[in-house]
Each structure stands twice: as C-alpha cells, then as structure tokens.
Amino acid sequence: MTKQSGSNIPNSFSLLVLGVAGGAGHVYNGSCSSSFVILKNNQPICLVDLGLGVTRTLSSYGYTLPDTLIITHNHTDHAGELPVVLRVEAAQQRLLNIVAAAPVSERLQQHRMAEHAELFQSVELANWLTAQVDTPMPLTDELDITFHTAKHSELCYGFVIYRDGAPLIGYTGDSGYCAELYETVAGCRVSIFDARPKGNPWHAGLDEVAPFLTEQAYIIGHDLDAEQIPTDSQLLKPGQLITIPESD
C-alpha cells in the first residue's frame, strides 16, 4: 500500500461530481456540464472533461485546476472551456496535461483549439498526452489509464483508470448501448455510466445499463432534475463525493 512520505496514513482516492448536465444545460439554465474530479487525499489530481461551467464550479469547492485533464470527446459539454483555460494557464507559465485517445486529441487540437490558430500552435498551450486506444499509458505518478471505444455521435472514448494494475475507476463517456465497453467499466471499483430515461443510438437508456450496475456503479443522467433524484438512487447529483474502496 502506497503511503504518504513521513506518514502512516495511506493514500485515499475519491471522486467529486461537479455536474451532470448535457449540452443545453449550461446554455439555457446555467447547470454545470458533466464532469468529475479525482481527488487524492482530498486534493484534485485529475479532472475528467472540461465542458461549460466546469472551471467555475471546481473553484466554488475551493479547488484549482489540477495539472492533468482527461477529455473524452470534442462536444461542447465535454471540452467547451478548453481553449480559454489553456490560453489563460499558459499565460501564467503553466502548461496543463491534456490526456485523450489519439483520435480525440487530433480533433481537439485541430478544431477545438482553432480559435487560437493565428497566434499559437496547440502544442504551445498544453502538453498533449495522446493515448492509443486499448493501450495503457501513465496518467499520474500512481495511476495509469486505458481508453476504450464508445458509441456516440462524435468520436468518444470511455476509459479505465488503474492503480498498480487494479481497475479503480471506469467511465463510459457519452455512449449508446455498448456491451463490451459496459463489461469493462463494470469491472472497476467505481463505475460511471452515461444514460438517459429514454435511450437513443448515442446515449444509452437507463434500462440498458441496468444489468451492468454493481453496488459501486453510478449513472450520469443528463439534465435530470437533481432535486427529484432520491438520495439512495445510483443517479449522480452535483456535489456528490464518492470514496473509492481500497480493495474489491
């Protein structure tokens, strides 16, 4: 078990849910886009997706942006704040690590970052850590990540985050029903699925993900009214903190 330097207290990992909204959520009612931050000993080490409203919401919890960001795909509710954030951070002599599957990284650099193209190359504004699909790569000093193909209207990849070979966190990203991806994600200590009350080819229905839900599985239900979600539901709510078990 990895321990903090000079301490007998083991490292602990958790997830803080920042938002669960879909594409229109922030634009029309100010809701934070779907995102969560991975905490190590209650400090952010990795942010998952940077859609509209995410940076401000993270700040509202007293956190600054961690060095490492995972981007699952190039939709606005998952990458919309990226150009502004990278420009601001680079101006402060800080290059963030942007981790994405190779096809997504290419789209982000060519299209999402295009507003800066006359002034900067994308590589001047961030460290682009590009991953080959289905191939593990380092994420932080303790964690590795593997991206897996999702089924969506835009190129999108779910992922599994490992620590010492153990699958800690799995996330489908935005995806329609995809049994192979679901089985992989369901094998993690904490699993997060994208689903909506009524499914379509690009977003699974709640009934489609139900067979894959374990005790430590959760659902991002885009734009569902958080106030109406029962406290014992597996549907995630903004502000929810999930502790990652130390063992299965």
Side-chain angles (χ1 to χ4, degrees):
M1 180 178 294
T2 303
K3 299 183 179 180
Q4 296 173 321
S5 177
S7 172
N8 292 323
I9 301 174
N11 289 327
S12 64
F13 292 87
S14 56
L15 305 178
L16 174 63
V17 180
L18 300 176
V20 297
H26 183 81
V27 174
Y28 284 92
N29 60 35
S31 299
C32 180
S33 299
S34 298
S35 176
F36 56 90
V37 62
I38 301 172
L39 307 175
K40 174 184 173 182
N41 302 328
N42 297 317
Q43 294 301 313
I45 60 169
C46 183
L47 179 69
V48 178
D49 284 335
L50 190 62
L52 303 181
V54 171
T55 305
R56 186 172 182 176
T57 301
L58 182 67
S59 178
S60 73
Y61 288 101
Y63 294 130
T64 57
L65 286 162
D67 292 335
T68 301
L69 281 61
I70 299 170
I71 305 294
T72 59
H73 62 295
N74 188 32
H75 274 162
T76 302
D77 55 328
H78 292 262
E81 292 188 350
L82 195 64
V84 171
V85 164
L86 294 189
R87 178 73 181 274
V88 170
E89 296 296 322
Q92 299 173 6
Q93 307 303 309
R94 184 188 185 206
L95 298 185
L96 298 179
N97 303 317
I98 306 304
V99 180
V104 172
S105 183
E106 181 179 355
R107 290 200 179 193
L108 292 172
Q109 293 183 65
Q110 291 186 359
H111 302 293
R112 181 61 59 182
M113 299 299 294
E115 65 188 74
H116 298 318
E118 298 301 318
L119 296 174
F120 299 98
Q121 297 294 314
S122 62
V123 294
E124 297 178 85
L125 298 176
N127 299 316
W128 298 89
L129 306 182
T130 300
Q132 299 305 311
V133 179
D134 298 324
T135 303
M137 68 170 282
L139 179 64
T140 68
D141 58 348
E142 288 189 61
L143 305 176
D144 299 316
I145 188 169
T146 301
F147 286 96
H148 301 281
T149 303
K151 182 182 178 183
H152 197 46
S153 55
E154 166 73 9
L155 280 174
C156 182
Y157 295 83
F159 59 78
V160 172
I161 293 174
Y162 297 86
R163 184 189 186 200
D164 296 330
L168 295 189
I169 304 164
Y171 179 39
T172 63
D174 282 1
S175 184
Y177 178 78
C178 186
E180 183 176 359
L181 174 62
Y182 292 177
E183 290 169 359
T184 299
V185 168
C188 300
R189 292 178 188 170
V190 169
S191 306
I192 299 177
F193 294 82
D194 162 68
R196 300 186 176 195
K198 185 177 180 181
N200 57 53
W202 314 124
H203 290 278
L206 294 175
D207 58 329
E208 292 177 305
V209 303
F212 299 90
L213 299 182
T214 64
E215 184 177 345
Q216 285 295 118
Y218 302 89
I219 301 169
I220 289 183
H222 282 358
D223 288 331
L224 293 176
D225 186 351
E227 298 301 320
Q228 301 301 317
I229 297 175
T231 56
D232 60 347
S233 172
Q234 288 180 288
L235 289 164
L236 291 172
K237 300 176 71 172
Q240 188 169 344
L241 183 66
I242 301 170
T243 299
I244 301 173
E246 292 187 19
S247 60
D248 296 326

